[in-house]
Amino acid sequence: MPTNSGTLPQPPGDTPLPLRRRLLWLLLVGLVASLLVTLVWLAGRYEASQVQGQLERDAADAVGDIRAGFSRNVQNLQALEFNRPTPAAWGSQAADLLRQRRELLRIEWLDNDLSLRAQADTPYLAPVFARLGRENSRSDVAQACTAARRVNGPAFSSSYFVSTKQGLGLEVIELCLPLVGSGKASGYFVATYSLPEVLGQFLGPQLTRGQEVSFNEADGTRLAIRGAGSRGTRVFTAQQLLDLPGITLVLRLSSWRGAPDLFPNVLTALVTAMSIALILVLALLGKDTRRRLKAERELGDAFAFRAAMENSLVTGLRARDLKGQTTYVNPAFCQMVGFSAKELLQPSLQATQPPPYWPPDLMDEYQERQAIRLAGRVPPREGFESVFMRKNGSRFPVLIIEAPLVNAQGSQTGWMSAFLDLSEQRRVQEQSRASQERLQATARLAIAGEMASLLSHELNQPLAAISSYATGSLNLLLQHQQDGLAQPGLLDQAMSQDMVQAMHRIAEQAERAGKVIKSVHDFVRRRDQAREAVPPLALFDAILPLVSLQAKKLAISVQVEVEGQLPLVFCDRTMVEQVLLNLARNAMQAMDGADVAQRILRMSVARVPGRGHANWLAFSVSDLGSGISAQVGQQLFTPFFTTKAEGMGLGLSLCRTVVEQHGGALVFGPNTPQGTVFTFTLPARTPE
């Protein structure tokens, strides 16, 4: 069935046409061929008659043109006698006429006794009589002048051949024009014509371009010729007599277009009989065609019904023969893999290449599976899963169900496969799995919130006790210091100063720990946090003691870069300090395995560039470690994801949440020349 998705497999062998239908077709072909041959022959005859008629008309027109040309020249010769010119003036006028008329070779002015008074030769050729002299042609001139005097008008001589240099020559004729002055004969004008130039000048180039024109004598002797030579097996010829005073020439035109070589013996009755037979055959054929059209309509309806069923399926269908070549695919399969039916059903490509929807890395496995299937092993009825590749390169899972393809005679001709796209099913499963993971993460966050609340409640009392003990110890040290001043030697002065400073630090960090716990407690319970305008440098100064302690242990150099004249940053000071401290600790841990010379921790703050970010500050923490891979970077801010053996995976997630609560953003990227840089933005404005 021809559809837009291939052709259904047909049973082997072709059903032969009935003998009666074959005879009808043979008879129809024979009659049509005979009719065409007859029409071609008749057309050839008609064309030959048209060509011959046109050639006859051209010959008649050519004779008229030659007569007109001779008449014009006679008038030009008569004009030379006007005003009785002297021989010198006459020679100049004759030379001008020779330059204008190339068919004239020589013009002479003769007396009554045919003695020469003046002459002029054509400038286009050497003098034609220079080699043999003029005396050899005097008889022809005398004959022409005698005839001219007898008819009292121009007369021509017979043609004769004049040889020239290099063994060449040309055929010429003489024109004699008698001159009469005061009623008496005063002489003659004799003009020598070149017959080849007469044909070339008097006849148009369109006449001599496509056919041959020649002057012949009555016995057929060719005198002059112009135009293309005759070609072909047959030549059309037309002849016209050119009757001039004193001479008669035959003008012959030949065309090389040959007449059709068909046998001209077909009668009109035969054509009529063949036409009647053709009508009868066509009537019988029309009757047979109507029966065939009815059967084809019924078959087309059945095929259209089956095609509509196949096109409405969402299941892909594919048929393969016993050699493994694809013979049919339905539109659903083409839409599934992204290839057209023409691309999938090309026999030349299937013979040399595997199917284009097979992934390259699974090609060997699929070919082995196809070999097993072609060997006759029936696949499981419930089908099996596989992976196909679309035209754009994306892959998708499919469920394949195969069954033997059996023809009407009961023999297996291949395999029929059905394909189900499992992409949507896998997507739903993936969404369900992601939902479960989010629920688990939410539960773990809830537990973490409860733990944070419990720890903040339980740790507040020991931290308060530490602060109290540190304050009491500080008071005792101050009292002993005063007593030592009253009683020298009671307490070393330098030792007293160090212990006082240490107690101050213990008290500050205990108070700081209490603030951190309170901030975390408020953060977990979503309370409004107290924000204040803080100098950016103060945020670095608050965490530098703790950062310096860890940096000294790891031999890391700490650099702080603060742009001059920065505005105050409006934030929750305690939480932002924890963000900076967490990022600094992560940066130092990332450089644990680096060279000592490359262990540099750089913390900086600057204005955010851009016209719309004038009230924002960008804090950066960079390291020179090994960097973050693309796979780790995709999950870096995911809660409970960590690359540390002792980490919980909540640090960066909480840092990003704190920054986003301030309206900023926390991002990371590669550092130059190596490592990673974390950057977050905070608003730089004072509370209104």
Side-chain angles (χ1 to χ4, degrees), residues 215-544:
F215 277 133
N216 297 343
E217 291 184 347
D219 59 352
T221 303
R222 182 174 294 177
L223 302 177
I225 184 172
R226 273 300 177 100
S230 59
R231 304 174 187 174
T233 57
R234 295 183 60 185
V235 179
F236 291 88
T237 302
Q239 295 182 356
Q240 289 285 337
L241 288 178
L242 178 60
D243 191 9
L244 299 174
I247 185 175
T248 300
L249 298 175
V250 178
L251 181 67
R252 179 187 177 96
L253 267 69
S254 300
S255 176
W256 64 75
R257 290 175 292 183
D261 295 328
L262 298 178
F263 184 74
N265 192 15
V266 179
L267 300 177
T268 306
L270 180 59
V271 176
T272 305
M274 287 191 298
S275 301
I276 296 174
L278 179 61
I279 293 174
L280 294 176
V281 171
L282 289 177
L284 296 176
L285 185 60
K287 183 178 179 181
D288 182 77
T289 303
R290 285 193 296 272
R291 291 197 300 266
R292 291 189 60 186
L293 289 176
K294 181 179 179 181
E296 288 177 358
R297 281 196 299 269
E298 295 175 354
L299 184 60
D301 293 341
F303 279 1
F305 179 74
R306 185 167 61 177
M309 293 179 60
E310 294 174 355
N311 295 337
S312 64
L313 294 175
V314 296
T315 302
L317 297 178
R318 180 195 66 187
R320 293 185 296 176
D321 58 16
L322 294 178
K323 295 181 180 180
Q325 294 186 357
T326 304
T327 58
Y328 169 76
V329 288
N330 71 333
F333 183 80
C334 296
Q335 185 178 4
M336 189 180 299
V337 298
F339 292 92
S340 64
K342 183 179 180 181
E343 294 173 321
L344 297 176
L345 298 178
Q346 291 184 5
S348 58
L349 294 181
Q350 295 188 56
T352 58
Q353 298 179 4
Y357 47 84
W358 283 5
D361 53 336
L362 302 176
M363 202 76 69
D364 296 337
E365 177 184 349
Y366 287 6
Q367 288 180 346
E368 181 180 358
R369 187 170 64 193
Q370 177 172 306
I372 295 175
R373 193 75 66 246
L374 297 178
R377 182 176 176 181
V378 180
R381 184 62 182 174
E382 62 275 8
F384 57 93
E385 293 189 7
S386 184
V387 177
F388 280 179
M389 184 175 65
R390 296 186 178 91
K391 190 174 184 178
N392 58 7
S394 61
R395 303 189 180 191
F396 63 100
V398 292
L399 177 64
I400 306 176
I401 303 175
E402 291 187 327
L405 182 62
V406 181
N407 61 9
Q409 287 73 30
S411 59
Q412 182 179 354
T413 59
W415 295 88
M416 176 61 74
S417 305
F419 301 89
L420 296 177
D421 190 350
L422 302 179
S423 301
E424 185 66 22
Q425 180 180 349
R426 297 295 169 80
R427 188 184 65 82
V428 173
Q429 293 177 356
E430 183 65 23
Q431 288 182 349
S432 177
R433 184 188 62 80
S435 299
Q436 292 293 333
E437 291 181 354
R438 286 196 294 270
L439 289 176
Q440 293 177 3
T442 303
R444 295 172 67 182
L445 286 174
I447 295 174
E450 294 178 0
M451 290 176 61
S453 299
L454 180 61
L455 288 175
S456 64
H457 181 269
E458 296 296 333
L459 291 178
N460 274 331
Q461 293 181 358
L463 287 175
I466 291 174
S467 179
S468 299
Y469 286 138
T471 303
S473 300
L474 182 61
N475 293 333
L476 290 175
L477 287 173
L478 292 175
Q479 183 178 357
H480 282 291
Q481 186 177 8
Q482 294 175 359
D483 293 343
L485 294 175
Q487 302 177 6
L490 183 62
L491 186 63
D492 184 74
Q493 183 69 20
M495 182 178 178
S496 175
Q497 291 294 335
D498 291 340
M499 293 184 65
V500 169
Q501 185 177 3
M503 289 301 172
H504 271 295
R505 295 295 184 186
I506 292 175
E508 289 176 359
Q509 295 304 322
E511 183 180 1
R512 174 180 172 78
K515 291 181 179 180
V516 170
I517 292 175
K518 183 176 182 302
S519 297
V520 172
H521 184 267
D522 294 340
F523 173 75
V524 172
R525 299 188 64 182
R526 300 295 183 184
R527 292 183 178 177
D528 293 335
Q529 299 169 350
R531 299 184 182 181
E532 55 183 326
V534 183
L537 185 58
L539 298 176
F540 291 115
D541 292 340
I543 65 171
L544 273 179

Side-chain angles (χ1 to χ4, degrees), residues 144-217:
C145 290
T146 302
R149 180 63 63 188
R150 185 172 58 252
V151 298
N152 196 22
F156 292 87
S157 69
S158 300
S159 65
Y160 61 94
F161 182 81
V162 178
S163 63
T164 58
K165 296 180 180 180
Q166 290 86 31
L168 302 177
L170 49 87
E171 197 78 15
V172 299
I173 60 174
E174 302 286 350
L175 169 64
C176 184
L177 177 64
L179 302 177
V180 179
S182 301
K184 297 181 180 181
S186 60
Y188 304 92
F189 284 164
V190 177
T192 304
Y193 280 92
S194 170
L195 289 182
E197 288 296 330
V198 168
L199 294 175
Q201 298 298 321
F202 288 173
L203 302 180
Q206 67 277 5
L207 184 64
T208 58
R209 185 183 299 114
Q211 49 200 0
E212 182 184 274
V213 185
S214 62
F215 277 133
N216 297 343
E217 291 184 347

